[in-house]
Amino acid sequence: MSTMAQTGRLIGVGTGPGDPELLTLKAVRALAEADVVAHFAKRKANGNARAIVAGHMKPGVTELPLHYPVTTEISKNHDDYKAQILAFYEESAERVAAHLAAGRTVAVLSEGDPLFYGSYMHLHVRLAHRFPTEVIPGVTAMSGCWSTTGQPIVQGDDILTVLPGTLPEEELARRISGADAVVIMKVGRNLPKIRRALESAGKIGRAIYVERGTMAESVSMPLAAKSDDQAPYFSLILVAGWLGRPGSVSASGAVL
Amino acid sequence: MSTMAQTGRLIGVGTGPGDPELLTLKAVRALAEADVVAHFAKRKANGNARAIVAGHMKPGVTELPLHYPVTTEISKNHDDYKAQILAFYEESAERVAAHLAAGRTVAVLSEGDPLFYGSYMHLHVRLAHRFPTEVIPGVTAMSGCWSTTGQPIVQGDDILTVLPGTLPEEELARRISGADAVVIMKVGRNLPKIRRALESAGKIGRAIYVERGTMAESVSMPLAAKSDDQAPYFSLILVAGWLGRPGSVSASGAVL
């Protein structure tokens, strides 16, 4: 490895929830300064983060797409799947490390915020102790969604619970039941299970479904009006807190 | 009131966690287009949000500072305090409404994200059903803090719990105990209580204290190394999840 002074910088760049105007000034500058722009993607797809920054890519910049291995026929809980994914992250980190060691600054795109459920984290934990590293936070998908629907999500002493929809139904129901405000991420094919959990927690009536928040083709509706088919993985469900707000309706039906 | 076509727009503008470069392109545009820029502030102080946008204020734009009433001698739980604050929000909403009704677009600054514990919400719930309204999400203080410290906060099936430090000690301890990753907001004079709650939940060793994340004078350290005096209200405490990450240490002390 070359000495520290000669290495490039690793920059995790949050690209925000979808609307390219929700890039930060700092993210735009990082794209202007980077020698290499990397992003994770499925094969034959460029991914949302790359689409968001399309208008800010420097002509002639080196691109490093990191394509997930095709493992659709293996269960995600299978050891073979885990081994393939771990090997992929190791290999991806070494591909980025080679650029950094050669003195090139690498911007790694990350939809939303890099350290909030982002793939960038798999590079960060492998490289941040080896190279100068900076993380540029981004607007999260959940902020984008509750802003699109205009839902005040938490105020005052409210507790916010963020739940991946991949959790077992009983745990989802238990967590939803004990929460003031809830965001459920990773909806997709978990939607029927999430709906049952919201029903058993008595909060289905307050749940809002949001798809592609902040993007031109954004869709939102009460979850009660949404069918169980065709929810994208990156859709969200919101249950807003702040039940004591002026004009809101209490559990007993009284207008506060 | 004038007809809808003649009214101005209400825009809740998230200004991000502190670094002016973490403004979004959309927030900068909103500031360039607004006729009036409003912000909440204590008396004789301009507030963080106003400081963040200082470099983007249009020369000659009308400013509308909304100064909280001075109520330092009354307890926050006292009915007189609540009545004064409610009257202040009503009066503030009507001051903004007067500009909107006259056809002027009003940008209301909100540190972090407007609908995430933001004062803007008090205007939103009073005005969004009366005037065309848009909310521009921002990078939250918590994203700013975990990016500054480089802490991957949640990954995979991790649950994130966001707790106001104003909650009673027992509830804090119970919630921290049952969580994967925790963010504790509104630290300030609640720090000794929060520390006890983290201790009784067995998570004090993983807690990181962050002050003014993303700002030049940012400070962060293990909570164990931080004294109980002089924590600003807007400092945060982070307990990161993703305990199974490569290189992390399990509860039993094994390196994973």
Side-chain angles (χ1 to χ4, degrees):
Chain A
M1 205 172 97
S2 53
T3 64
M4 212 61 172
Q6 294 170 310
T7 63
R9 278 183 310 139
L10 172 64
I11 311 180
V13 179
T15 64
D19 179 348
E21 258 204 300
L22 292 173
L23 280 165
T24 63
L25 302 174
K26 198 165 196 171
V28 170
R29 180 166 63 86
L31 291 169
E33 291 176 0
D35 302 303
V36 179
V37 176
H39 70 275
F40 286 100
K42 291 182 187 164
R43 282 214 184 274
K44 299 189 180 174
N46 258 330
N48 280 333
R50 177 65 182 78
I52 292 167
V53 304
H56 298 277
M57 293 294 286
K58 202 166 44 177
V61 70
T62 301
E63 290 214 50
L64 180 62
L66 302 164
H67 287 289
Y68 283 102
V70 180
T71 53
T72 47
E73 284 163 28
I74 316 176
S75 157
K76 286 204 171 187
N77 295 317
H78 196 286
D79 284 345
D80 285 358
Y81 175 87
K82 290 182 187 170
Q84 274 196 45
I85 287 290
L86 271 178
F88 165 68
Y89 287 132
E90 292 294 345
E91 183 205 318
S92 298
E94 290 318 309
R95 291 177 70 190
V96 171
H99 284 289
L100 295 168
R104 290 186 281 270
T105 287
V106 182
V108 180
L109 307 179
S110 190
E111 206 182 341
D113 180 81
L115 299 179
F116 184 73
Y117 300 110
S119 295
Y120 162 75
M121 293 159 73
H122 296 285
L123 300 177
H124 185 87
V125 295
R126 288 170 174 85
L127 298 172
H129 56 289
R130 295 168 56 191
F131 300 97
T133 299
E134 183 182 7
V135 180
I136 302 176
V139 175
T140 59
M142 62 185 188
S143 279
C145 287
W146 66 56
S147 298
T148 295
T149 59
Q151 287 219 295
I153 191 79
V154 274
Q155 182 59 275
D157 282 352
D158 280 347
I159 297 169
L160 174 66
T161 304
V162 183
L163 298 168
T166 45
L167 291 170
E169 181 174 338
E170 276 185 27
E171 172 145 28
L172 281 174
R174 185 172 65 82
R175 298 281 184 170
I176 293 166
S177 180
D180 296 319
V182 185
V183 173
I184 307 174
M185 318 267 296
K186 306 180 184 185
V187 174
R189 65 178 69 177
N190 300 301
L191 181 53
K193 175 182 66 180
I194 295 166
R195 187 191 301 275
R196 290 192 301 270
L198 280 159
E199 273 165 0
S200 72
K203 291 185 178 163
I204 188 85
R206 283 165 50 201
I208 305 290
Y209 169 87
V210 192
E211 201 174 294
R212 302 187 182 83
T214 81
M215 288 187 242
E217 65 275 38
S218 172
V219 169
S220 67
M221 65 187 83
L223 180 59
K226 163 74 186 161
S227 64
D228 272 346
D229 56 331
Q230 294 198 324
Y233 190 69
F234 284 111
S235 51
L236 289 185
I237 290 168
L238 306 173
V239 178
W242 201 20
L243 292 180
R245 69 179 177 268
S248 72
V249 177
S250 76
S252 66
V255 177
L256 298 168
Chain B
M1 204 173 94
S2 53
T3 64
M4 211 62 172
Q6 295 169 307
T7 66
R9 277 183 310 139
L10 171 64
I11 312 182
V13 179
T15 64
D19 179 349
E21 257 204 300
L22 292 174
L23 281 165
T24 63
L25 301 175
K26 198 164 194 170
V28 170
R29 180 166 62 85
L31 290 169
E33 291 176 0
D35 302 303
V36 179
V37 176
H39 70 276
F40 285 100
K42 292 180 187 166
R43 283 217 183 272
K44 298 190 180 174
N46 257 330
N48 280 332
R50 177 64 182 77
I52 292 167
V53 304
H56 297 279
M57 292 294 287
K58 202 164 43 175
V61 71
T62 301
E63 289 215 49
L64 180 61
L66 302 165
H67 288 289
Y68 283 102
V70 180
T71 53
T72 48
E73 285 162 29
I74 316 175
S75 157
K76 285 205 172 188
N77 295 317
H78 196 286
D79 283 346
D80 284 356
Y81 175 86
K82 290 182 187 170
Q84 275 197 45
I85 288 290
L86 272 178
F88 166 67
Y89 287 133
E90 292 294 345
E91 183 205 318
S92 298
E94 288 318 309
R95 290 177 68 190
V96 171
H99 284 290
L100 295 169
R104 289 187 280 270
T105 287
V106 182
V108 180
L109 306 179
S110 190
E111 206 182 340
D113 181 84
L115 300 179
F116 184 72
Y117 300 111
S119 295
Y120 162 75
M121 293 159 73
H122 296 286
L123 300 177
H124 186 87
V125 294
R126 289 172 172 85
L127 299 172
H129 56 288
R130 295 168 53 193
F131 300 96
T133 299
E134 183 182 7
V135 180
I136 301 177
V139 174
T140 59
M142 63 184 189
S143 280
C145 287
W146 66 57
S147 297
T148 295
T149 60
Q151 288 219 293
I153 191 80
V154 275
Q155 183 57 276
D157 281 352
D158 279 345
I159 296 168
L160 174 65
T161 305
V162 183
L163 298 168
T166 45
L167 291 170
E169 181 174 337
E170 275 185 28
E171 172 145 30
L172 281 173
R174 186 172 64 83
R175 297 281 183 170
I176 293 166
S177 179
D180 296 320
V182 184
V183 173
I184 306 175
M185 318 268 296
K186 306 180 183 183
V187 174
R189 64 178 69 178
N190 300 300
L191 182 53
K193 174 183 68 180
I194 295 167
R195 188 191 301 274
R196 291 193 300 272
L198 280 158
E199 274 164 359
S200 72
K203 290 186 180 165
I204 188 85
R206 283 165 51 201
I208 305 291
Y209 169 87
V210 192
E211 200 175 295
R212 301 188 181 84
T214 80
M215 288 186 240
E217 65 275 36
S218 171
V219 169
S220 66
M221 64 186 85
L223 180 59
K226 163 74 186 159
S227 65
D228 272 348
D229 56 329
Q230 295 200 323
Y233 190 69
F234 284 112
S235 51
L236 288 186
I237 290 169
L238 306 173
V239 178
W242 201 20
L243 292 180
R245 68 179 178 270
S248 74
V249 177
S250 76
S252 67
V255 177
L256 298 169

